[in-house]
């Protein structure tokens, strides 16, 4: 068998491609090319830094957006006093939001940065949720406590004459105060203050039944001693509380202009407050409250005087108004009555309507021009006005409009001319408004073919009659 020849390798085995060598070599440690290396390195570092900054900015922008939405989730749980439920609600929304936003980001570097940012933010959100849930729990617990205490206080007032039920209610309120302090993990001092507040409130409720009663001063002093009120109500607190109670009591019976108001009684109660003394002889009303009460009392006295004047005016005004309405009724029924044939026509109805309109207009003008006129003067005027207008509209023609006896009534030619002048001015300003000139024109037959009042024709004839009357 032939022998296979063997060889000994002279070099190592490699996968490298054989170098292509030329006679020209460019060393990297010197020469022109070596000078480019630092610049190329800086270019590479700048690119890396640019990419890093871009990713940071993109990540922060997305993080800010997610935080903005998460802030809304946090706000939604603001009043949720169930901490576990609040955290669960927030976490569900947070997870859904972040998952959706991260899935929309293709850049892995940006996505990882956002995750890192959100991991830090989530912890802060959970902390804030716990804090606001505890605050909501405090608020809810306080509201529940106050509502229950107010309900019991109302029951205490309802059964003010039943000492057994009042004692039961007081015990319940004191127990509630202790339970509230324990559940909120408050201090022993807070418990004392809460229980004192209950006793103070019930004491003031009992005092309310004494205000304005006979022997109020003596009964107040006895109650202050019996309750041992000095233990839970300071002088300034009592002064402030009674200031409000007395003011409210007075305000209910002293209403300016109300005919049922009793200002005499209100002033008596105001004086009563100034005499109250505690069991140790200290005056209740002192300091700033005393000064403020003096101002209140002075206003009450001034209001009392104004009230009496207003009440007199109201009574007189009602009486005058009733008399005026009666005179107007007489005036209108003189011209129109639906059940009397001679007074049931359209012309009669028009006379009644227009005479009533003029009566209201003139009577209101008189009241506005004579605010200090007495009740008797107003009644006399109303009667004279009614009689005058009866004469005026009974024979509704131009001549009768101005035939007044200047010796017997106040509506002379000068006043008549002034009224017409005022009516002309009002008509020129607004021809569409109701005006006495239209009434005169229609009643005297001055109408156009459509039945509208012809003001100009009426005034021409009226002027002739006025001039003729002045010559008489």
């Amino acid at each position: 068998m032939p022998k296979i020849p063997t060889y000994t390798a002279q070099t190592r085995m490699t996968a490298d491609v054989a170098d292509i060598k030329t006679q020209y070599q460019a060393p990297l440690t010197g020469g022109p090319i070596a000078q480019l290396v630092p610049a190329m390195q800086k270019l590479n570092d700048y690119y890396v830094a640019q990419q890093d900054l871009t990713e940071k900015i993109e990540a922060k922008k997305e993080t800010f957006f997610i935080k903005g939405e998460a802030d809304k989730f946090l706000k939604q749980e603001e009043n949720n006093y169930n901490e576990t439920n609040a955290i669960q609600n927030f976490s569900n929304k947070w997870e859904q939001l972040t998952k959706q936003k991260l899935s929309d980001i293709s850049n892995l570097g940006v996505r990882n940065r956002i995750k890192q940012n959100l991991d830090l933010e989530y912890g802060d959100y959970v902390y804030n949720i716990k804090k606001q849930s505890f605050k909501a729990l405090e608020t809810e617990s306080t509201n529940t406590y106050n509502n229950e205490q107010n309900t019991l206080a109302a029951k205490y007032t309802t059964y003010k004459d039943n000492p057994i039920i009042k004692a039961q209610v007081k015990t319940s309120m004191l127990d509630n105060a202790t339970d509230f302090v324990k559940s909120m993990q408050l201090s022993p001092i807070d418990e004392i203050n809460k229980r004192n507040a209950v006793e103070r409130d019930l004491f003031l409720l009992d005092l309310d039944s004494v205000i304005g009663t006979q022997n109020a001063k003596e009964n107040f002093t006895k109650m202050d001693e019996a309750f041992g009120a000095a233990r839970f109500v300071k002088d300034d607190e009592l002064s402030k509380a009674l200031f409000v109670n007395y003011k409210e009591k007075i305000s209910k019976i002293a209403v300016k202009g109300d005919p049922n108001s009793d200002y005499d009684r209100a002033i008596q109660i105001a004086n009563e407050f100034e005499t109250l003394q505690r069991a140790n002889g200290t005056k209740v009303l002192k300091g700033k409250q005393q000064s403020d009460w003096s101002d209140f009392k002075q206003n009450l006295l001034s209001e009392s005087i104004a009230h009496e004047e207003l009440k007199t005016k109201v009574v007189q005004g009602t009486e005058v108004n009733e008399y005026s309405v009666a005179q107007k009724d007489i005036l209108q029924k003189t011209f129109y009555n639906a059940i009397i044939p001679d007074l049931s026509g359209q012309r009669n109805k028009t006379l009644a309507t227009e005479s009533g309109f003029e009566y209201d207009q003139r009577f209101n003008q008189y009241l506005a021009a004579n605010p200090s006129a007495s009740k008797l003067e107003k009644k006399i005027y109303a009667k004279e006005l009614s009689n005058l207008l009866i004469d005026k509209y009974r024979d509704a023609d131009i001549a009768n409009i101005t035939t007044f006896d200047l010796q017997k009534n106040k509506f002379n030619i000068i006043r008549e001319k002034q009224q017409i002048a005022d009516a002309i001015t009002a008509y020129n300003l607004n021809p569409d408004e109701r005006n006495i000139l239209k009434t005169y024109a229609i009643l005297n037959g001055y109408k156009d073919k459509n039945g509208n009042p012809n003001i100009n024709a009426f005034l021409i004839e009226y002027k002739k009659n006025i001039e003729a009357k002045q010559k008489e």
Side-chain angles (χ1 to χ4, degrees):
M1 175 181 289
K3 187 177 180 181
I4 300 173
T6 59
Y7 302 92
T8 300
Q10 300 298 316
T11 59
R12 65 180 179 84
M13 294 180 66
T14 179
D16 293 342
V17 179
D19 291 339
I20 300 176
K21 296 183 178 181
T22 69
Q23 60 179 334
Y24 302 106
Q25 298 294 321
L28 297 179
T29 57
I33 293 180
Q35 295 177 4
L36 295 176
V37 172
M40 294 174 64
Q41 184 61 44
K42 288 183 179 180
L43 184 62
N44 182 65
D45 293 344
Y46 174 78
Y47 174 76
V48 173
Q50 184 185 46
Q51 287 296 106
D52 184 68
L53 181 59
T54 301
E55 289 181 358
K56 283 183 178 179
I57 293 175
E58 291 295 328
K60 285 185 177 181
K61 286 175 61 178
E62 293 298 331
T63 301
F64 287 150
F65 175 82
I66 293 173
K67 283 187 62 179
E69 295 298 309
D71 288 342
K72 297 177 184 177
F73 302 156
L74 182 65
K75 182 68 176 178
Q76 291 170 359
E77 303 301 324
E78 184 178 22
N79 297 319
N80 190 346
Y81 55 85
N82 186 326
E83 181 182 297
T84 302
N85 179 260
I87 293 175
Q88 185 62 48
N89 291 341
F90 178 84
S91 297
N92 291 340
K93 297 171 184 175
W94 171 271
E95 183 178 353
Q96 183 179 1
L97 173 66
T98 55
K99 185 176 180 180
Q100 177 187 348
K101 294 302 297 180
L102 289 173
S103 66
D104 294 337
I105 298 171
S106 58
N107 187 310
L108 182 60
V110 173
R111 194 186 312 153
N112 288 335
R113 289 177 184 275
I114 293 175
K115 286 181 179 179
Q116 293 174 1
N117 293 339
L118 294 181
D119 287 342
L120 295 174
E121 295 294 341
Y122 180 76
D124 289 340
Y125 277 115
V126 171
Y127 171 76
N128 286 326
I129 289 175
K130 289 183 177 182
K131 194 164 79 169
Q132 72 180 19
S133 289
F134 181 74
K135 184 177 180 181
L137 180 62
E138 283 185 319
T139 302
E140 186 66 24
S141 180
T142 301
N143 290 339
T144 302
Y145 170 76
N146 290 336
N147 290 337
E148 187 174 7
Q149 295 295 73
N150 288 336
T151 301
L152 289 171
K155 184 177 181 180
Y156 187 89
T157 303
T158 301
Y159 294 95
K160 61 183 179 181
D161 297 324
N162 189 322
I164 296 177
I165 294 180
K166 286 175 64 178
Q168 293 173 346
V169 170
K170 182 176 181 178
T171 300
S172 296
M173 293 181 72
L174 290 172
D175 290 343
N176 287 344
T178 299
D179 292 342
F180 176 79
V181 170
K182 290 180 179 179
S183 64
M184 299 301 293
Q185 299 181 357
L186 302 178
S187 69
I189 298 299
D190 291 320
E191 181 178 2
I192 293 174
N193 291 336
K194 281 289 181 185
R195 292 176 67 88
N196 283 347
V198 170
E199 298 219 47
R200 181 189 66 239
D201 292 342
L202 297 182
F203 174 63
L204 292 175
L205 286 176
D206 283 332
L207 285 183
D208 191 60
S209 62
V210 173
I211 295 175
T213 61
Q214 189 175 10
N215 300 323
K217 177 184 176 182
E218 291 77 11
N219 291 334
F220 168 78
T221 303
K222 290 178 182 178
M223 288 182 64
D224 184 50
E225 184 176 11
F227 273 78
R231 175 173 49 87
F232 51 79
V233 187
K234 297 179 181 178
D235 289 348
D236 60 332
E237 292 177 337
L238 183 61
S239 180
K240 291 177 182 178
L242 287 179
F243 186 100
V244 174
N245 288 1
Y246 266 88
K247 192 173 180 180
E248 288 180 352
K249 180 80 74 173
I250 291 171
S251 297
K252 290 179 181 178
I253 63 174
V255 181
K256 185 178 177 181
D258 186 343
N260 297 319
S261 293
D262 189 348
Y263 272 84
D264 291 337
R265 182 67 185 133
I267 293 171
Q268 289 177 358
I269 295 175
N271 292 333
E272 170 190 297
F273 183 31
E274 296 175 334
T275 66
L276 296 185
Q277 292 183 350
R278 302 201 69 169
N280 59 9
T282 303
K283 286 189 64 176
V284 171
L285 192 58
K286 57 184 179 180
K288 185 177 185 302
Q289 274 68 44
Q290 185 174 16
S291 175
D292 291 344
W293 189 256
S294 296
D295 293 339
F296 172 75
K297 185 177 175 182
Q298 184 59 47
N299 290 335
L300 182 66
L301 292 170
S302 300
E303 193 175 280
S304 172
I305 297 172
H307 169 76
E308 291 301 320
E309 293 176 352
L310 181 61
K311 188 168 67 172
T312 300
K313 289 181 179 179
V314 170
V315 172
Q316 289 184 353
T318 301
E319 186 176 338
V320 169
N321 183 65
E322 290 175 353
Y323 187 82
S324 173
V325 170
Q327 291 300 315
K328 179 182 175 181
D329 188 57
I330 293 171
L331 167 64
Q332 292 184 306
K333 286 182 178 180
T334 300
F335 299 107
Y336 179 76
N337 192 319
I339 62 176
I340 300 177
D342 291 343
L343 297 177
S344 60
Q346 183 58 44
R347 176 175 172 79
N348 298 90
K349 191 173 184 179
T350 300
L351 286 169
T353 301
E354 298 301 334
S355 63
F357 167 69
E358 184 174 354
Y359 178 91
D360 287 338
Q361 190 179 47
R362 288 195 175 191
F363 190 68
N364 290 335
Q365 288 174 350
Y366 171 80
L367 294 178
N370 301 274
S372 60
S374 67
K375 178 175 65 175
L376 179 60
E377 288 174 328
K378 293 174 183 177
K379 285 185 174 182
I380 291 174
Y381 184 92
K383 187 171 183 62
E384 285 186 354
L385 179 59
S386 178
N387 291 334
L388 168 72
L389 295 179
I390 288 174
D391 292 338
K392 180 174 184 177
Y393 283 87
R394 178 164 283 146
D395 296 311
D397 55 51
I398 291 293
N400 285 326
I401 288 177
T402 57
T403 54
F404 303 131
D405 187 340
L406 302 183
Q407 302 299 320
K408 292 184 179 180
N409 66 67
K410 302 174 184 178
F411 303 100
N412 53 40
I413 291 175
I414 295 175
R415 180 175 297 177
E416 189 79 11
K417 288 176 64 179
Q418 183 59 48
Q419 182 191 18
I420 294 297
D422 293 340
I424 292 172
T425 300
Y427 178 78
N428 290 333
L429 290 174
N430 191 344
D432 296 327
E433 280 191 355
R434 191 172 185 182
N435 192 294
I436 198 69
L437 295 178
K438 297 179 182 180
T439 302
Y440 289 158
I442 292 174
L443 289 174
N444 290 280
Y446 291 93
K447 298 180 289 185
D448 59 22
K449 60 181 181 180
N450 296 321
N452 298 318
N454 190 333
I455 304 297
N456 291 333
F458 164 75
L459 290 176
I460 291 172
E461 185 64 24
Y462 181 81
K463 182 179 179 182
K464 294 179 181 178
N465 282 273
I466 284 290
E467 291 174 348
K469 187 66 179 176
Q470 287 177 319
K471 293 177 181 179
E472 294 179 1

